[in-house]
Amino acid sequence: MSILETTLIFVGIPLLIVLVFGAISWTAPRKPGPAASDHPYKLGDKWNHSALLWTAADEVTEHGRHAQHGHAAGAPAELIGGTASGKW
């Protein structure tokens, strides 16, 4: 395989792919994003929405498996992902 062929394979093809995606994104119709809220939430404002529950880990835990993962044997299942607290 010559240097020209190697250059075309490892430089030319990726460059062509980037240019094609760039051209597609450049010519794509522009769509506006979602409208901003008139009254965004600010720290200290009263939260008048329903509770937002979120977790980074969707793992299902079983009692008795804590010791295998380095957690204390009596630790509640809710603490497997860790805890967060803060004071503002």
Side-chain angles (χ1 to χ4, degrees), residues 19-84:
L19 290 175
V20 167
F21 280 114
I24 290 171
S25 67
W26 188 268
T27 60
R30 305 290 190 260
K31 295 179 183 176
S37 174
D38 291 334
H39 304 287
Y41 176 78
K42 294 181 181 145
L43 190 62
D45 291 350
K46 182 179 178 187
W47 184 258
N48 54 9
H49 301 285
S50 60
L52 299 174
L53 300 176
W54 178 83
T55 179
D58 292 333
E59 64 186 48
V60 177
T61 59
E62 299 173 9
H63 184 68
R65 292 183 50 188
H66 301 295
Q68 297 172 358
H69 298 290
H71 297 286
E78 293 82 30
L79 298 179
I80 286 182
T83 61

